[in-house]
Amino acid sequence: MPRTLLLRGAAAVTGSLALTASLTACGGSSPAGSADSKGAEKVVTVYSADGLKSEKGDGWYDRVFADFTKKTGIEVKYVEGGSGEMVQRAVRERTNTQADVLITLPPFIQQADGKGLLQSYVPQGADKVNGADKSTAGKWTSVVNNYFGFVYNKKELAEAPKTWEELLDARYKGKLQYSTPGVAGDGTAVLIKSMHDFGGKEPAMEYLKKLQANNVGPSSSTSKLAPKTDKGELLVANGDVQMNFAQSKSMPNLGIWFPAKEGGRPTTFALPYAAGLVDKAPHSENGKKLLDHLLSEEAQRLVSEVGGGFPARSDVKPTDANAVELTKLMTGVEIFEPDWADIDKNLTAYVDAWKSATGS
């Protein structure tokens, strides 16, 4: 798979959001607060964007966290939310740090770094991760690669829509929804992709203003849109390849597609899950061990087979059935690389422009 196919975002930047995910133990049976022979707590707390853990307990996180606990005896405590939501929570807890590892999507991992939330640590195996997918200062490293996309209901629609313009049709009124830019990472990705496809902020906002007539309304969570689409409550929604591919295994009506501007090619861009060690982490040594494990060959080989995503390590080239299907899905899709520095700098202005255009 070419390097451009090995890059991956998702969530809250502003606003006060209710954290619906609770602090839960994952993959281990050791009691909370247990300690090793030296008195160090055998626990590590992860704050992460959603998509890699399954409600059925068969997701990539479920598997690798369980393997990690079995291997080290360290219990994984897990908090899930939007990328920006997790960053904001870490900011609020700066004087009483709770998280050891933070995993978010662009541009929120860069935002976390810019806010001083991350400390330098280069995990074992990071030398096998492409340069664009990790911090030059060692503050974060991608652990799972992924791409932005859309989903549609295969039962109600004979074939996937092909263009952005098709979504303006009256048949999609009240049957289309995308997660909220500035609140959900994949919602923010809608802005990024539309600005790329339409050639700038102004034409993108002009389009999204028209699309608002069909939009159901705000959604803080992208992962909740796929079940609605599978049931036919929605015909089209936004998402990302890894999450939606994994969901499609239990949602038979879910199909993945990539919008194109009329007359153009379908496009997407990479939204990797990127992990960093939290500054002043209460269990930093355990956090380092977990980061090492996430980038181990053992864990990376499971990314496609179990998680439905793309390995972050360039030397891990899976050949399982999911990997073959994912490669086929991406064939013919143009991959572009956003200017993450510009997006990080101007994200608030872009979100404000979207709010103004859509009346949100």
Side-chain angles (χ1 to χ4, degrees):
M1 193 174 294
R3 198 205 74 74
T4 49
L5 288 181
L6 296 172
L7 285 167
R8 174 189 199 237
V13 188
T14 58
S16 138
L17 301 174
L19 183 63
T20 56
S22 60
L23 190 63
T24 56
C26 264
S29 56
S30 56
S34 61
D36 61 20
S37 59
K38 297 180 181 179
E41 250 192 317
K42 301 280 282 182
V43 66
V44 60
T45 299
V46 177
Y47 283 10
S48 177
D50 56 359
L52 292 174
K53 190 176 187 300
S54 168
E55 291 182 0
K56 295 182 177 181
D58 57 357
W60 187 69
Y61 274 164
D62 301 285
R63 177 70 175 272
V64 297
F65 288 170
D67 290 345
F68 175 72
T69 298
K70 183 177 180 180
K71 178 181 177 181
T72 65
I74 298 171
E75 175 191 2
V76 180
K77 290 189 173 182
Y78 176 74
V79 175
E80 179 180 285
S83 289
E85 186 179 357
M86 294 295 92
V87 171
Q88 289 304 313
R89 177 163 175 157
V91 168
R92 293 195 301 270
E93 296 173 348
R94 195 191 292 269
T95 58
N96 183 27
T97 306
Q98 300 295 308
D100 300 301
V101 172
L102 179 67
I103 303 177
T104 76
L105 313 173
F108 302 102
I109 194 67
Q110 291 92 336
Q111 184 184 77
D113 186 13
K115 291 179 180 294
L117 294 176
L118 305 176
Q119 59 176 296
S120 294
Y121 178 67
V122 179
Q124 296 176 25
D127 59 317
K128 304 298 184 182
V129 176
N130 289 312
D133 300 337
K134 58 188 176 185
S135 162
T136 55
K139 295 295 186 68
W140 54 268
T141 307
S142 296
V143 293
V144 171
N145 287 319
N146 193 11
Y147 300 91
F148 175 65
F150 273 66
V151 291
Y152 74 103
N153 182 292
K154 296 192 293 185
K155 183 178 179 181
E156 299 295 331
L157 299 176
E159 60 180 11
K162 291 183 173 58
T163 67
W164 288 102
E165 287 81 359
E166 286 181 57
L167 301 182
L168 300 177
D169 191 276
R171 73 182 298 186
Y172 295 105
K173 186 173 181 61
K175 290 285 189 177
L176 176 150
Q177 190 173 18
Y178 61 91
S179 50
T180 308
V183 173
D186 289 324
T188 305
V190 172
L191 286 187
I192 295 170
K193 178 171 155 57
S194 60
M195 286 192 293
H196 171 271
D197 288 0
F198 286 95
K201 182 179 75 171
E202 296 307 322
M205 298 308 153
E206 183 180 341
Y207 168 78
L208 292 171
K209 180 178 182 178
K210 296 176 184 176
L211 186 65
Q212 193 66 10
N214 289 343
N215 188 16
V216 170
S219 173
S220 62
S221 170
T222 309
S223 63
K224 294 178 180 178
L225 302 183
K228 292 182 180 181
T229 306
D230 179 64
K231 293 174 185 175
E233 295 174 23
L234 299 173
L235 292 178
V236 169
N238 70 315
D240 62 69
V241 173
Q242 176 277 323
M243 179 173 64
N244 295 146
F245 186 83
Q247 289 172 317
S248 70
K249 298 303 180 181
S250 60
M251 299 179 191
N253 298 320
L254 203 65
I256 299 172
W257 68 290
F258 305 92
K261 186 177 183 298
E262 202 165 59
R265 295 176 59 190
T267 68
T268 189
F269 62 97
L271 292 170
Y273 289 90
L277 186 66
V278 177
D279 186 47
K280 298 181 177 64
H283 312 100
S284 61
E285 291 306 309
N286 295 346
K288 291 176 182 178
K289 291 176 182 177
L290 179 61
L291 290 171
D292 290 346
H293 182 71
L294 295 178
L295 271 181
S296 67
E297 288 189 55
E298 172 191 0
Q300 289 289 300
R301 282 195 296 268
L302 297 173
V303 169
S304 58
E305 181 183 349
V306 176
F310 305 83
R313 287 180 55 149
S314 59
D315 63 330
V316 175
K317 303 183 185 302
T319 57
D320 58 89
N322 283 352
V324 172
E325 194 172 342
L326 285 164
T327 299
K328 187 182 299 183
L329 179 67
M330 302 300 296
T331 301
V333 182
E334 178 184 313
I335 312 296
F336 67 91
E337 186 170 338
D339 183 344
W340 291 115
D342 170 76
I343 293 164
D344 185 35
K345 179 181 177 181
N346 297 302
L347 182 58
T348 299
Y350 294 150
V351 172
D352 286 345
W354 171 82
K355 289 178 180 178
S356 176
T358 61
S360 300

